[in-house]
Amino acid sequence: MDLVDLIAEKRFLGQEFLTWLWWKSEERGGVVALPGEGDVVVVFEKHMLLEYGEGDSNESLVCRGLQTELQEARTGLVMGKKLEQARIKLAFNDYEWNFTMAAALMEFRNVKLPKTGGESGNENDPEEREGMVLERIYLFEELIRMVLGLFRIFLHLRVSPEWRDELLKVREWVNRAERA
């Protein structure tokens, strides 16, 4: 099996993770408990891409709008489309990140790091510039650490016997879109 086949075969995992994370964030009003860290605010916002089918029969549905207007995306889930990409706001402590997560490769796109006090520093000073670069690296690593922590929770549930109950809750949440 080559790498392309392996990615195509495991693609569902990223799609399920995004769908689960969307449900999990709405379950507690946008807050997801991250063990050992505390509550993380996770908000799906403004942009989602759902796909259905493969190859030439692939269909895409782009949903844009405010969080409360993502009803069309939930309806797409009811119709069997898979969440392929989502714009997410994640907040933890005093930091807030915005990024797009692509499900197939668990790829971060269009990452907007939190604003910090160091951005008003003197960029001509090599030490301040180095500090700003290191701070940006730290913030990016924090984002990855948070998302991996959320993914770890998902994987733990996904391979456990509790997944059946969790999956029923997700399906019920998805099907509420059909009734709304």
Side-chain angles (χ1 to χ4, degrees):
M1 178 180 290
D2 67 8
L3 182 60
V4 174
D5 292 337
L6 187 62
I7 290 170
E9 182 182 293
K10 305 297 182 200
R11 179 183 195 157
F12 76 94
L13 206 53
Q15 294 169 330
E16 286 185 2
F17 170 63
L18 278 181
T19 304
W20 173 84
L21 187 60
W22 185 16
W23 166 75
K24 198 72 177 170
S25 71
E26 289 196 0
E27 182 186 39
R28 291 184 55 213
V31 177
V32 179
L34 194 57
E37 300 287 343
D39 288 341
V40 178
V41 175
V42 179
V43 178
F44 281 70
E45 56 179 17
K46 296 183 183 175
H47 182 265
M48 287 187 176
L49 173 68
L50 289 92
E51 290 185 351
Y52 180 78
E54 295 179 16
D56 293 337
S57 63
N58 186 24
E59 295 178 22
S60 296
L61 171 67
V62 177
C63 301
R64 295 175 194 236
L66 299 175
Q67 180 193 14
T68 57
E69 298 173 4
L70 291 172
Q71 191 67 30
E72 188 177 354
R74 287 177 58 180
T75 302
L77 292 175
V78 170
M79 297 171 60
K81 292 181 171 37
K82 306 290 184 192
L83 186 54
E84 182 57 36
Q85 188 174 300
R87 184 81 184 154
I88 300 170
K89 179 172 76 177
L90 192 145
F92 181 70
N93 288 335
D94 294 332
Y95 296 121
E96 181 179 301
W97 295 264
N98 297 81
F99 61 98
T100 299
M101 172 70 73
L105 298 175
M106 298 290 291
E107 179 183 14
F108 292 87
R109 296 180 182 164
N110 303 317
V111 175
K112 183 178 172 191
L113 297 175
K115 290 189 185 272
T116 62
E119 293 176 358
S120 60
N122 181 3
E123 292 184 17
N124 294 327
D125 182 354
E127 287 185 17
E128 283 194 34
R129 190 173 43 223
E130 182 181 340
M132 287 188 286
V133 169
L134 291 174
E135 184 176 45
R136 293 185 67 76
I137 291 170
Y138 165 76
L139 291 170
F140 198 82
E141 287 177 344
E142 278 293 291
L143 171 63
I144 292 170
R145 190 175 67 81
M146 294 289 157
V147 172
L148 288 179
L150 295 166
F151 188 61
R152 192 172 298 114
I153 295 170
F154 167 74
L155 283 180
H156 177 76
L157 278 167
R158 184 67 176 86
V159 297
S160 74
E162 290 89 32
W163 178 245
R164 287 183 181 177
D165 293 337
E166 194 87 346
L167 188 57
L168 288 174
K169 293 175 188 173
V170 173
R171 284 184 178 152
E172 183 178 309
W173 169 75
V174 168
N175 288 329
R176 267 188 263 144
E178 197 173 41
R179 291 176 263 167

